[in-house]
Amino acid sequence: MSSRKTPSRWRLDCSLQTHNTGGVTVFHIGQQIQILTMETSEKTEVVLLACGSFNPITNMHLRLFELARDYMNGTGKYRVIKGIISPVGDAYKKKGLIPAHHRVIMAELATRNSKWVEVDTWESLQNEWIETAKVLRHHQEKLEASSCDIQQELPLEKPGRKRKWAEQRQDFSQKKSMESKIKGVPEVKLLCGADLLESFGVPNLWKTEDISQIVGGYGLVCITRAGNDAQKFIYESDVLWKHRSNIHLVNEWITNDISSTKIRRALRRGQSIRYLVPDLVLDYIEKHSLYSSESEDRNAGVILAPLQRNTAGAKS
């Protein structure tokens, strides 16, 4: 079959050789062969990162990921490839916050059967509270480092030599992850509910430069409900309005009012929480008697870590 001129958006490198077969472009990159549909290659890959207490994780937390993925994929511009749950560390000092290792285990149990959502322990293992902007940066840098490792592993093809198809096919099977190199590094975006968006307005809870970095540098995917004031809140905030194109508001049409606070209250009242949390999480809570009046008093009277740090910074 004769070669066709490749559209400019497909020109990735001067050494790249391509030909078109039935609407599918075949890329020869050194010793690698990549077959990508044009529709897939034009989409930006996204990793959804949810930071929070997860005290405990609920079915609503898991639904946030599904709602966000459906929305982002539905835009035709993005393709969500992974979801990450990052429980906050104990140094956050939130009232009623049980030890991080319990919250991590419950999150891992909740996502055991998920094919795309996983739990990351980095934030929970830090001795000090870590700002959300730094958590986003940590995960973006991990993706960039992974992409660099893939590129460094690429062997250089000797000029004038061609390899047999069998050898090329074997290399392709060993280098499937090269797709990320062609498309670029996936983008990390913060997944949250409308309550986190509105918390940006709480004095000293967030630094203005962190909000700008989170929204402007990474992006926000916010699950909201029809009729709430998320759009009004964005309009009234100068920093959010400036980066409004990077804020994705996702309507939750099938409303779900489950929250960790209500789960803990029900447990203190001796009431059932079955079907509000995954069964494995419920079993773990019952086995370890995690939530009680005593646990709810944990960190009582202690100033929340971001308030303490940001207030001290404002005074200095």
Side-chain angles (χ1 to χ4, degrees), residues 48 64-74 80-81 116 221:
L48 298 171
L64 294 181
F65 282 95
E66 297 294 327
L67 291 165
R69 182 173 67 164
D70 283 349
Y71 174 86
M72 296 298 283
N73 289 349
V80 175
I81 62 171
W116 68 284
V221 183

Side-chain angles (χ1 to χ4, degrees), residues 3-33:
S3 299
R4 291 173 53 183
K5 186 176 181 181
T6 306
S8 60
R9 60 177 173 272
W10 289 100
R11 294 174 189 165
L12 303 175
D13 189 89
C14 59
S15 63
L16 197 66
Q17 299 178 2
T18 70
H19 67 268
N20 188 283
T21 305
V24 176
T25 301
V26 180
F27 293 84
H28 300 265
I29 308 176
Q31 297 172 343
Q32 309 303 313
I33 294 181

Side-chain angles (χ1 to χ4, degrees), residues 120 122 133-143 218:
D120 187 271
W122 180 80
K134 292 182 179 178
V135 181
L136 283 161
R137 184 176 65 194
H138 166 77
H139 287 283
Q140 188 66 61
E141 289 177 349
K142 279 183 63 177
L143 290 169
Y218 298 98

Side-chain angles (χ1 to χ4, degrees), residues 103-170:
R103 294 181 284 109
V104 167
I105 291 174
M106 286 189 288
E108 290 174 341
L109 290 171
T111 56
R112 175 173 290 182
N113 296 324
S114 176
K115 296 180 179 179
W116 68 284
V117 181
E118 61 186 42
V119 181
D120 187 271
T121 62
W122 180 80
E123 182 184 1
S124 67
L125 294 175
Q126 304 306 305
N127 293 326
E128 295 183 349
W129 167 70
I130 304 297
E131 292 93 336
T132 301
K134 292 182 179 178
V135 181
L136 283 161
R137 184 176 65 194
H138 166 77
H139 287 283
Q140 188 66 61
E141 289 177 349
K142 279 183 63 177
L143 290 169
E144 293 169 358
S146 177
S147 178
C148 289
D149 290 342
I150 291 172
Q151 294 182 43
Q152 290 174 2
E153 289 176 3
L154 280 176
L156 296 176
E157 184 177 17
K158 296 180 180 180
R161 295 189 61 183
K162 295 183 179 180
R163 301 187 61 187
K164 296 180 180 179
W165 166 249
E167 294 173 334
Q168 292 174 331
R169 183 174 58 185
Q170 181 180 7

Side-chain angles (χ1 to χ4, degrees), residues 26-262:
V26 180
F27 293 84
H28 300 265
I29 308 176
Q31 297 172 343
Q32 309 303 313
I33 294 181
Q34 290 293 323
I35 302 177
L36 300 172
T37 65
M38 184 176 295
E39 178 184 0
T40 300
S41 66
E42 288 178 343
K43 294 179 181 179
T44 300
E45 292 185 336
V46 169
V47 173
L48 298 171
L49 172 68
C51 298
S53 300
F54 301 101
N55 187 40
I57 191 168
T58 71
N59 287 338
M60 186 58 212
H61 289 129
L62 303 177
R63 280 292 298 161
L64 294 181
F65 282 95
E66 297 294 327
L67 291 165
R69 182 173 67 164
D70 283 349
Y71 174 86
M72 296 298 283
N73 289 349
T75 65
K77 299 178 181 179
Y78 303 99
R79 184 168 72 92
V80 175
I81 62 171
K82 183 192 293 186
I84 299 175
I85 292 174
S86 179
V88 73
D90 294 336
Y92 188 53
K93 299 298 183 182
K94 186 175 182 179
K95 184 178 181 297
L97 189 66
I98 67 169
H101 72 273
H102 285 308
R103 294 181 284 109
V104 167
I105 291 174
M106 286 189 288
E108 290 174 341
L109 290 171
T111 56
R112 175 173 290 182
N113 296 324
S114 176
K115 296 180 179 179
W116 68 284
V117 181
E118 61 186 42
V119 181
D120 187 271
T121 62
W122 180 80
E123 182 184 1
S124 67
L125 294 175
Q126 304 306 305
N127 293 326
E128 295 183 349
W129 167 70
I130 304 297
E131 292 93 336
T132 301
K134 292 182 179 178
V135 181
L136 283 161
R137 184 176 65 194
H138 166 77
H139 287 283
Q140 188 66 61
E141 289 177 349
K142 279 183 63 177
L143 290 169
E144 293 169 358
S146 177
S147 178
C148 289
D149 290 342
I150 291 172
Q151 294 182 43
Q152 290 174 2
E153 289 176 3
L154 280 176
L156 296 176
E157 184 177 17
K158 296 180 180 180
R161 295 189 61 183
K162 295 183 179 180
R163 301 187 61 187
K164 296 180 180 179
W165 166 249
E167 294 173 334
Q168 292 174 331
R169 183 174 58 185
Q170 181 180 7
D171 286 338
F172 175 66
S173 65
Q174 294 173 349
K175 305 287 185 178
K176 289 181 180 179
S177 58
M178 268 304 300
E179 183 176 349
S180 62
K181 177 179 183 293
I182 294 177
K183 298 182 187 180
V185 181
E187 296 180 2
V188 177
K189 294 187 181 298
L190 184 64
L191 171 62
C192 68
D195 55 342
L196 186 141
L197 179 72
E198 294 176 358
S199 75
F200 286 155
V202 177
N204 294 321
L205 187 60
W206 298 85
K207 291 186 292 187
T208 302
E209 55 266 34
D210 280 1
I211 297 175
S212 182
Q213 185 179 1
I214 290 170
V215 183
Y218 298 98
L220 206 65
V221 183
C222 178
I223 310 300
T224 182
R225 293 178 180 176
N228 73 5
D229 293 331
Q231 291 183 331
K232 179 181 178 182
F233 185 81
I234 293 171
Y235 177 77
E236 293 177 347
S237 167
D238 289 344
V239 64
L240 295 181
W241 181 255
K242 178 181 179 181
H243 302 293
R244 63 190 181 280
S245 62
N246 215 18
I247 300 176
H248 305 272
L249 296 180
V250 184
N251 277 331
E252 180 197 358
W253 296 111
I254 304 176
T255 57
N256 187 333
D257 201 28
I258 301 173
S259 72
S260 296
T261 300
K262 293 179 179 179

